[in-house]
Amino acid sequence: MTATAAPAFTGWSNPAVEKKILDQINLDTAWPVVERFGEIVRLSGSPEEREAFEILSGHLTKWGVPHTLHEPECFISWPIAATLRTLGADGKSYFAKTTAMSVNTGGKEIEAELVYVPPRIPENTVDDWSYGLDFTGLDVTGKIIIADGMASPGRVIDVMKAGGLAGIFVNPGERIHESIVTTIWGTPDLDSAHRQPELPVLGVNHVDGEELIALAKQGGVRVAASTTVDTQWRTIPILVADIPGATVPEEFVLLHGHVDSWHQGVGDNATGDATMLEIARVFWQNKGDLARGVKIAWWSGHSHGRYAGSTWFADAFAIELAKGCVAQVNCDSPGCRWADTFNELTTMSETNPFVNAAIIETTGITPQTERAVRAGDYSFNGIGISSFYMLSSTMSQEARDEKGYYPVGGCGANIAWHTEDDLLDIADKDNLLRDIKMYAASVLRVANAPVLPFDWRQVTAEFEETLAKYQQAAGSDFDFGPAVDAVKSLDDSLAALYAGAGSITAPDSSEARRFNRAQRMLARILVPVNYSRSLPFYHDPALEVPALPDLEPALTMGRVRGDQHQRGILKAHLLRGRNRLIWALEQARDQVDAARS
């Protein structure tokens, strides 16, 4: 099976209404907000961050937009300072930073031998933070480890498992990029609290890191390191504007992004905050033109609590989201300088045809989307919500190569990301106006489409491709055939359902309600099985989740084929995973067939 041509409803728009609304978008409020936020360092739960929230809520109040300020207590970590020096007669001090959620030594130095651990880089890895470390032949117990790459949760886990005393991570450039190293997604619970990092973590820049690696390779070098990290339960603000739908108020789109920042954070994410504020203004003025509701949420806790704000919202409003949310749209790092492509925009497969049409028609740029990764306030996978956009416009790879830029996770690919350099010059007025209109058009189309514009046959094609890859790896040791048959059966039912979608023209008609309920239920059933290992309403760790994650271990069959014990364990795991997938596919097909009756 290959993905069929997208049904016409994925490209639905109302040109007259869209033009009317997009023509009202301007930077009169948005740009001054970007400028003001560029003067404020917004640590989660800090007074300075609260000032930024007051700016946003003040505009909403002035315009009459209904909104609520929630103030949950969440687990938040501020990295304050770090020290690092080599010991001995030729001792030298190095500038270092610590990370959110790492261990606080209280400024007290720990001393140990410095050991270099090389990277373990999987094939096709292109970024700086997804590879692991290779401890083959190394005993690092009680030693301080230095390794290539930014501090990431996976690498910190590697160091902890190996018995390291502390980890020092070498950034790829002149600046040290701020980071958070816990795998706990949002506020810890009884199932995840044990994953809190248990060692101090530091970062150094590339020049200093290379010097320290060279010393470590010589052997016998000892270092002293300290960290100061302020980790505690804090009250954080969450602001939600609620614009009701005129004809289908029980359904809504969630547009969201974070206010908290590393340093001034203009490109990550003052531009996104201003984008959402301008959309709130214009949508409220045109609320009679919205069929479905639009909720716009500004989070705290993204940077310093591993998405604590969006996770709290997903928990506190889980049932409301499960019943009525038709899509969640992440707004992070729009409107940055030199950003002339949408080449690293992440989406869920069912949204791809819709996203392509919306971006091309509003910007003239053809996007190159990627599978949604485990990041970016995608705190709604366990509920099962169709999702699109993580990050935003970005500069081309050619432009990055020309500037000598390495990959980063925001700011339109500017390496100012998560550093002191993310200042006003990172933002671009023309790009910001373009991106606001793109986000507005995307949300507007979902809010007003008679039938929800997502094509689940893109997902059945993705599932078949994934299963074929896993089958090839498993060989004759395991049969994915029953799951493939279930995928094909669902695809047939979807083809029949979508064939009649063109006759539905009113989102509040009985036909539309049946169709759209099926579309929502497909998300509730298929998103978790494709993006989550956890139970519904729980949150996976902040580590990458592969496609159909219960079945991905099939890729290891070749390594365990000669080991009867491990092979037996793997086959049992795959059987349970196959059962989960088949049951999800059968439930999904039942929803589709019911919508057709």
Side-chain angles (χ1 to χ4, degrees), residues 53 56 237-239 254-260 268-269 272-273 276 295-302 309-310 328-334 376-377 380:
F53 272 89
L56 295 169
I238 295 172
L239 181 64
L254 175 64
L255 173 65
H256 62 92
H258 67 94
V259 174
D260 60 285
D268 184 14
N269 185 37
D273 299 324
M276 295 188 294
K295 294 183 187 293
I296 302 176
W298 291 265
W299 314 123
S300 176
H302 167 100
S310 59
Q328 67 96 354
V329 185
N330 182 236
C331 184
D332 200 333
S333 298
D377 282 301
F380 310 94

Side-chain angles (χ1 to χ4, degrees), residues 85-409:
R85 60 189 180 94
T86 53
L87 300 176
D90 298 325
K92 177 181 177 180
S93 294
Y94 296 85
F95 178 69
K97 292 182 178 180
T98 187
T99 64
M101 294 293 177
S102 63
V103 163
N104 172 36
T105 73
K108 182 179 179 181
E109 290 185 328
I110 56 173
E111 299 181 5
E113 181 183 352
L114 184 67
V115 177
Y116 172 67
V117 179
R120 174 177 44 80
I121 305 178
E123 187 178 356
N124 299 323
T125 297
V126 297
D127 61 59
D128 184 76
W129 48 84
S130 62
Y131 57 80
L133 304 178
D134 186 358
F135 289 88
T136 303
L138 295 175
D139 179 7
V140 300
T141 304
K143 299 175 183 178
I144 294 178
I145 291 167
I146 186 165
D148 300 285
M150 303 179 204
S152 70
R155 285 198 278 267
V156 170
I157 290 174
D158 287 347
V159 173
M160 287 194 297
K161 287 182 177 179
L165 185 64
I168 302 170
F169 295 93
V170 180
N171 283 243
E174 296 180 6
R175 289 291 197 183
I176 303 169
H177 297 271
E178 310 284 356
S179 61
I180 182 169
V181 295
T182 182
T183 66
I184 300 172
W185 191 279
T187 300
D189 61 13
L190 294 175
D191 295 327
S192 63
H194 69 280
R195 299 202 310 268
Q196 185 70 11
E198 297 176 347
L199 80 167
V201 178
L202 298 89
V204 295
N205 70 19
H206 188 71
V207 171
D208 289 345
E210 288 296 299
E211 183 175 309
L212 287 162
I213 288 173
L215 291 172
K217 288 180 176 179
Q218 293 175 12
V221 173
R222 292 178 63 82
V223 297
S226 76
T227 60
T228 304
V229 186
D230 185 356
T231 304
Q232 59 179 284
W233 293 87
R234 287 183 167 89
T235 299
I236 64 171
I238 295 172
L239 181 64
V240 183
D242 195 347
I243 304 170
T247 56
V248 195
E250 68 273 18
E251 296 178 353
F252 62 91
V253 184
L254 175 64
L255 173 65
H256 62 92
H258 67 94
V259 174
D260 60 285
S261 68
W262 294 113
H263 307 287
Q264 283 79 7
V266 170
D268 184 14
N269 185 37
T271 54
D273 299 324
T275 293
M276 295 188 294
L277 186 64
E278 178 64 5
I279 291 173
R281 181 186 72 84
V282 175
F283 277 26
W284 176 248
Q285 290 180 350
N286 296 274
K287 55 186 175 295
D289 290 321
L290 300 178
R292 298 178 179 87
V294 175
K295 294 183 187 293
I296 302 176
W298 291 265
W299 314 123
S300 176
H302 167 100
S303 302
H304 315 100
R306 184 63 79 190
Y307 318 121
S310 59
T311 303
W312 175 85
F313 188 81
D315 294 341
F317 296 93
I319 305 307
E320 179 183 351
L321 288 160
K323 286 181 176 180
C325 187
V326 300
Q328 67 96 354
V329 185
N330 182 236
C331 184
D332 200 333
S333 298
C336 293
R337 66 183 181 186
W338 308 322
D340 57 356
T341 78
F342 291 93
N343 285 356
E344 295 178 4
L345 206 61
T346 60
T347 63
M348 292 186 177
S349 296
E350 69 272 17
T351 73
N352 281 344
F354 164 81
V355 164
N356 286 339
I359 293 179
I360 291 170
E361 291 170 17
T362 56
T363 71
I365 300 171
T366 300
Q368 296 179 14
T369 59
E370 301 175 353
R371 174 183 165 86
V373 297
R374 185 75 179 135
D377 282 301
Y378 268 45
S379 300
F380 310 94
N381 293 353
I383 298 174
I385 298 176
S386 292
S387 307
F388 58 93
Y389 301 156
M390 184 189 305
L391 303 184
S392 187
S393 57
T394 188
M395 69 180 71
S396 67
Q397 186 60 54
E398 293 77 13
R400 281 181 266 183
D401 291 343
E402 182 181 329
K403 298 177 187 300
Y405 282 3
Y406 46 83
V408 293

Side-chain angles (χ1 to χ4, degrees), residues 11-83:
W12 179 93
S13 68
N14 183 327
V17 171
E18 193 166 303
K19 183 178 188 306
K20 170 191 169 186
I21 290 177
L22 296 191
D23 283 350
Q24 296 175 39
I25 290 173
N26 60 60
L27 299 182
D28 292 352
T29 298
W31 189 254
V33 166
V34 172
E35 290 179 316
R36 182 68 187 101
F37 277 29
E39 300 171 341
I40 307 173
V41 175
R42 304 179 299 281
L43 292 173
S44 301
S46 67
E48 293 79 12
E49 183 200 50
R50 181 58 66 105
E51 179 184 352
F53 272 89
E54 289 172 353
I55 292 169
L56 295 169
S57 61
H59 284 295
L60 296 177
T61 298
K62 179 175 64 178
W63 298 328
V65 182
H67 60 280
T68 303
L69 182 68
H70 303 281
E71 298 185 278
E73 191 175 64
C74 295
F75 197 54
I76 301 297
S77 183
W78 297 349
I80 305 299
T83 65

